Amino acid sequence: MSIDKTWQIISDDPAKTEQLAEKIGKQLKGGETIELVSDLGGGKTTFVRGLARGAGSTDKVASPTFTISKVYDTPNFQIHHFDFYRLPEPGIVADELAELVNDPKIVIVVEWADSVQEVLPSERLLLRIKQTPEGHRELTFSAPESLNYLREAVK
Ligand SMILES: Nc1ncnc2c1ncn2[C@@H]1O[C@H](COP(=O)(O)OP(=O)(O)O)[C@@H](O)[C@H]1O
Ligand SMILES: [Mg+2]
């Protein structure tokens, strides 16, 4: 079993968060899962916007809160963006998500994943975002060795 590596980056503004995400998006191969954890307004969707752009998508990224999931096309894979905010019983959507895991033509990004923890792969990039008293964001990434190429992109 590999131990996850953890690293931190401070982001001063939304553009910086997008820029970091864009670098990671450029390195995605397909088949990865990314879990985003923060309070409302932490910058999860902002991160996904940069990630999709980095992966070569021109699709509009917005919070899928009311649709649960959205799909963005990139030249190499689809990004499936889930948001389970206030959805204690993910039901059939959790089944859909489970079927997408490890599909090499798909990258999964999940906001508010508490209710779907058991269907997420253990090998995933985890990003926790905290707002600092100054209004900045402290990004704490955690990833297994198999995803080292994503760490290299931003360290
Ligand atoms: N460093 C930062 N990184 C990301 N967003 C920031 C940052 N500083 C301020 N913001 C603002 O915080 C909000 C984040 O919103 P959003 O990405 O939708 O968060 P979430 O999806 O976590 O609810 C945006 O209004 C953005 O402009
Ligand atoms: Mg959001």
Side-chain angles (χ1 to χ4, degrees), residues 40 44-45 63-65 81 83 111-112:
L40 261 187
K44 300 182 293 299
T45 301
S63 177
T65 295
H81 180 194
D83 187 330
E111 301 185 37
W112 301 104

Side-chain angles (χ1 to χ4, degrees), residues 2-9 24 33-35 122-128 139-145 147-148 150-151 154:
S2 77
I3 309 289
D4 285 10
K5 280 192 180 138
T6 298
W7 70 100
Q8 282 182 332
I9 301 174
I24 292 176
T33 295
I34 302 176
E35 178 183 3
S122 57
E123 303 251 314
R124 63 182 183 268
L125 177 66
L126 172 64
L127 169 57
R128 294 179 190 278
L139 280 57
T140 304
F141 293 90
S142 176
E145 260 172 58
L147 296 176
N148 259 350
L150 298 182
R151 190 167 71 98
V154 288

Side-chain angles (χ1 to χ4, degrees), residues 11-14 17 38-46 111 137:
S11 166
D12 300 343
D13 56 45
T17 296
S38 79
D39 294 334
L40 261 187
K44 300 182 293 299
T45 301
T46 301
E111 301 185 37
R137 302 295 189 274

Side-chain angles (χ1 to χ4, degrees), residues 7 9 11 13 25-27 29 48 50 53-54 59 61 66 68 76 79 86 93 99-100 106-107 114-115 121 128 146:
W7 70 100
I9 301 174
S11 166
D13 56 45
K26 280 199 177 107
Q27 299 305 321
K29 298 174 177 172
V48 179
R53 192 170 64 223
D59 294 345
V61 173
F66 298 104
I68 305 174
N76 302 313
I79 297 176
R86 290 187 170 154
V93 188
E99 292 202 354
L100 302 176
I106 288 168
V107 169
D114 299 329
S115 59
R128 294 179 190 278
S146 59

Side-chain angles (χ1 to χ4, degrees), residues 42-121:
K44 300 182 293 299
T45 301
T46 301
F47 183 89
V48 179
R49 189 167 297 122
L51 191 84
R53 192 170 64 223
S57 180
T58 54
D59 294 345
K60 188 177 177 296
V61 173
S63 177
T65 295
F66 298 104
T67 51
I68 305 174
S69 86
K70 288 180 67 183
V71 180
Y72 316 121
D73 287 314
T74 83
N76 302 313
F77 45 76
Q78 284 184 328
I79 297 176
H80 286 245
H81 180 194
F82 291 86
D83 187 330
F84 292 99
Y85 185 59
R86 290 187 170 154
L87 203 73
E89 295 284 344
I92 197 164
V93 188
D95 299 341
E96 276 171 34
L97 170 56
E99 292 202 354
L100 302 176
V101 169
N102 292 328
D103 183 327
K105 302 302 283 179
I106 288 168
V107 169
I108 298 169
V109 187
V110 196
E111 301 185 37
W112 301 104
D114 299 329
S115 59
V116 293
Q117 286 293 311
E118 63 285 357
V119 302
L120 295 183

